[in-house]
Amino acid sequence: MGNQMHDRIASSKLTVGELPELTGQGRDLRIDACRGIALWCIFLDHVPNNIGTWLTLRNYGFSDAAEVFMFVSGVTCALAYGKAWRCEGWTGVISRTLQRSWDIYVAFLLLMLACAILVHLTGGGRLADESNTRILLDHPGATLARAAVLQYRLVNADVLPVFVLLHLLFAPLLWLLLRVPNVTLGASLALYALVHAFGWTVPAWPNGHWAFNPLAWQLLVVLGAWWMIEGKRFRPWVTSRTALVAAVLYLVFSLIIALSWSIKPLEALVPQALLTLLYPMDKSNLDPLRLLHFLALAVLVVWFVPRNWRGLTTAVMRGAILCGQNSLPIYCLGVLLTFASHLALLDISEGLTMQIALSVGGVLVMIVAATLLNLIKIKPRQQPHAKPADLPVEQPTKFELVINLKTAKALGVDIPPTLLASRRRGDRIKMLFAPVRESGCGADPVPEIAHAFGPPAKNVGQDAN
């Protein structure tokens, strides 16, 4: 029995039960913090002529917050749906992916209507043209029909239809990643390469253009999920000094190129032929230079931001964590705040003071909203004045004595014959001959005897926002 259990634990072949999880360590706050910071950066970047953009990644390299958001989404999907598989099987995974896709789809449609109403109430004008709502206001029937099939999208809300499609397809993707992870990543890379070679895309309306081509951006989601499954084997490469030096050199190179557009002395140092070769970078199809820049940033995060990083306890990081834990509503709120900020800059003032006020105020509103959402989630669970007898806890009404004869024999424990023969009324004795097996909702081996006290709790852990 001991050898059998050891073989299960030491098996090098990855199974779903071995999918990395947070058991015993709690929620990985770095994931939520990265997602929250990405949400702030997306808001700041989408407000035009805003000094707040100098706090984001966009002006200091080739990639921006969109790459971070996509990659982290792949990580959280692998964690959440992986645990759902252990607890509920593939039926649970499919049910959860469909539910999440529906939630994002409804949020996308409601956000589109809210933005259209906001633009209409403000008189349309320049804001209607720059937000791509003019066609919705002029031709609502045809536009809503196209939006219903994800072919029409508002500016700044382009990413939501991509997530609808990716969540719909995540169940088969997880099935492949758990069986042939490297082959699945290779197929994702091949599709990404074919997109750049042949210009493949998904139909869009009215101009056929996706701000985030799902056939290209799927790579970052797959990469995030793959890292959670296979990352342990490749972590020594990522944490090697060679990878660190290469990442730093590439980040310095991209920093100089990016700053050369706004700092004249740097512009003179960069050959024009090199700039012509590098630009324009195709964000729609995730330009390889953007992908490499994100990977270089990821190497630095792995090196310098450990799981127990003290910075996560600061007020700013706590705010980012709250936003990251409520990413879908906060993203939608950020889009509405972008519209409101753009309107304020157009109708009130475009001055520096207004830009700073809108940037800081928008981020604070997002933090307050996320805090309220967390309180709403926690409040129903808290009953500080309830008596122990009134708490909704199941009380045992029947007890079962379970004896595993095979385990007892292996341990050299003798079971008295009188105990085996006794069958008093109200008592129930089970003789289990099954060997030790793994729990369905965890990675730790547990004896069969533990299951006499009921199934393990179905806790899905990190959400798949």
Side-chain angles (χ1 to χ4, degrees), residues 27-28 31-32 35 69-83 163 167 170 221 224-225 228 324 327 460-465:
R27 190 181 183 110
D28 192 340
I31 297 174
D32 297 319
R35 193 159 48 181
F69 200 68
M70 287 286 188
F71 178 83
V72 171
S73 296
V75 170
T76 55
C77 283
L79 287 171
Y81 296 137
K83 281 194 173 183
F163 280 117
H167 279 273
F170 200 86
V221 177
M228 295 309 299
S327 61
V460 180
Q462 202 100 21
D463 58 33
N465 286 341

Side-chain angles (χ1 to χ4, degrees), residues 401-405 415 419-420 423 429-433:
L401 173 61
V402 183
I403 301 175
N404 190 322
L405 296 180
I415 306 299
L419 177 61
L420 299 177
R423 295 260 181 171
I429 302 177
K430 279 187 180 180
M431 304 306 166
L432 299 179
F433 297 88

Side-chain angles (χ1 to χ4, degrees), residues 357-393:
L358 291 174
S359 299
V360 175
V363 172
L364 290 177
V365 169
M366 295 166 77
I367 294 174
V368 171
T371 303
L372 293 176
L373 288 172
N374 266 24
L375 291 176
I376 292 172
K377 292 178 182 178
I378 295 172
K379 188 175 180 180
R381 303 176 189 174
Q382 293 179 340
Q383 299 180 1
H385 302 295
K387 296 179 181 179
D390 297 332
L391 293 176
V393 179

Side-chain angles (χ1 to χ4, degrees), residues 119-187:
V119 173
H120 176 71
L121 293 176
T122 57
R126 180 178 168 186
L127 184 59
D129 295 325
E130 295 184 2
S131 63
N132 196 28
T133 55
R134 173 72 67 187
I135 191 171
L136 175 60
L137 298 175
D138 293 343
H139 307 282
T143 306
L144 288 174
R146 294 287 184 171
V149 294
L150 305 179
Q151 290 187 348
Y152 166 77
R153 299 159 308 281
L154 288 175
V155 173
N156 303 336
D158 309 76
V159 74
L160 292 180
V162 179
F163 280 117
V164 172
L165 297 175
L166 291 174
H167 279 273
L168 277 175
L169 298 173
F170 200 86
L173 173 63
L174 182 63
W175 188 89
L176 290 171
L177 281 169
L178 291 171
R179 283 152 181 81
V180 282
N182 296 330
V183 173
T184 304
L185 179 62

